[in-house]
Amino acid sequence: DSGVTQTPKHLITATGQRVTLRCSPRSGDLSVYWYQQSLDQGLQFLIQYYNGEERAKGNILERFSAQQFPDLHSELNLSSLELGDSALYFCASNPDPRNTEAFFGQGTRLTVV
Amino acid sequence: AQTVTQSQPEMSVQEAETVTLSCTYDTSESDYYLFWYKQPPSRQMILVIRQEAYKQQNATENRFSVNFQKAAKSFSLKISDSQLGDAAMYFCAYRIFQGAQKLVFGQGTRLTINP
């Protein structure tokens, strides 16, 4: 158990809908990362937050947004969902971005039908 | 842009034998980190081993070791005495030393252990 908690574990929704994925980082970790793992794109970095502020952005679609709250948990919002958004979404955390190791949650499996 | 390439989509090995997974990367940076992550069927991403680019000595963690060739931009993983629990997807990943701390992943190698 990495200490990073993601909910829900599985999510099935219809095209056009909006969902929210939640991540609770390890206790004390200030930095949160979101990654998408899909069959065609592999593991791709989406976005990073550090202590509530956006730190870096990757290949995140405009339909997707994220935030990190004062209690350091983070949410990834996916809207106007398309079939191609079906993927495994990972959250990872570490105490400080300078730490080399990021601890991953078990992911949320999103299926868009 | 940094890229990571794993040229072996699948590998298999007999239990107790040794297997080597290949990884090459492309970067113009001189300071960076390289990682091997394991993803078993549980989907959890587990760090196997880490190498700092400024270190000439190859990293070792128990049965896992790397062959880091900086000039060739090669970073292979050797698993000795393979065990059934080693069966998983293995991902090679890269991260620059400073700046954006995102991980750049390869496409993965599926490792099967034959009993």
Side-chain angles (χ1 to χ4, degrees):
Chain A
D1 184 6
S2 67
V4 179
T5 303
Q6 289 188 248
T7 56
K9 285 188 171 45
H10 303 276
L11 195 51
I12 301 175
T13 190
T15 54
Q17 295 297 304
R18 172 190 170 94
V19 296
T20 297
L21 312 184
R22 182 187 170 101
C23 169
S24 295
R26 295 187 322 153
S27 176
D29 284 1
L30 300 179
S31 194
V32 170
Y33 309 77
W34 286 97
Y35 290 86
Q36 179 195 57
Q37 184 178 24
S38 62
L39 284 174
D40 54 347
Q41 296 290 327
L43 268 158
Q44 301 268 331
F45 167 72
L46 295 178
I47 198 164
Q48 176 197 4
Y49 279 83
Y50 176 69
N51 204 19
E53 295 196 0
E54 183 183 304
R55 186 74 175 253
K57 226 169 185 177
N59 300 322
I60 187 166
L61 299 172
E62 285 191 8
R63 300 183 285 107
F64 296 1
S65 64
Q67 54 184 326
Q68 186 180 27
F69 294 86
D71 66 353
L72 301 177
H73 90 272
S74 179
E75 293 180 355
L76 179 65
N77 300 296
L78 316 175
S79 62
S80 302
L81 285 166
E82 302 175 359
L83 296 178
D85 297 328
S86 296
L88 189 54
Y89 291 85
F90 281 107
C91 169
S93 75
N94 58 17
D96 183 294
R98 292 168 296 181
N99 285 75
T100 56
E101 182 172 358
F103 297 86
F104 282 77
Q106 286 199 301
T108 293
R109 167 74 68 188
L110 173 66
T111 303
V112 183
V113 297
Chain B
Q2 296 91 9
T3 58
V4 177
T5 302
Q6 294 178 248
S7 59
Q8 306 153 316
E10 296 183 354
M11 292 280 285
S12 64
V13 64
Q14 290 295 126
E15 192 177 3
E17 294 192 346
T18 296
V19 63
T20 298
L21 308 184
S22 301
C23 172
T24 58
Y25 58 95
D26 188 24
T27 183
S28 58
E29 302 287 335
S30 58
D31 290 327
Y32 50 87
Y33 299 100
L34 295 164
F35 307 85
W36 279 97
Y37 278 87
K38 170 185 177 180
Q39 186 179 36
S42 66
R43 308 181 324 201
Q44 182 81 50
M45 294 290 288
I46 302 165
L47 179 64
V48 174
I49 200 163
R50 169 180 54 223
Q51 174 80 43
E52 291 86 349
Y54 64 85
K55 289 186 177 178
Q56 293 186 340
Q57 187 172 4
N58 289 323
T60 298
E61 289 286 344
N62 300 312
R63 298 182 295 107
F64 298 87
S65 61
V66 298
N67 183 4
F68 173 48
Q69 302 289 328
K70 191 172 184 179
K73 295 180 182 175
S74 170
F75 183 61
S76 61
L77 174 70
K78 186 172 82 171
I79 306 174
S80 304
D81 185 26
S82 297
Q83 300 176 1
L84 294 178
D86 295 333
M89 281 289 288
Y90 285 81
F91 292 94
C92 179
Y94 162 99
R95 205 204 87 176
I96 63 172
F97 189 74
Q98 292 182 337
Q101 287 87 26
K102 67 175 183 178
L103 289 166
V104 178
F105 287 92
Q107 289 295 100
T109 296
R110 182 173 301 280
L111 179 64
T112 302
I113 312 295
N114 300 312

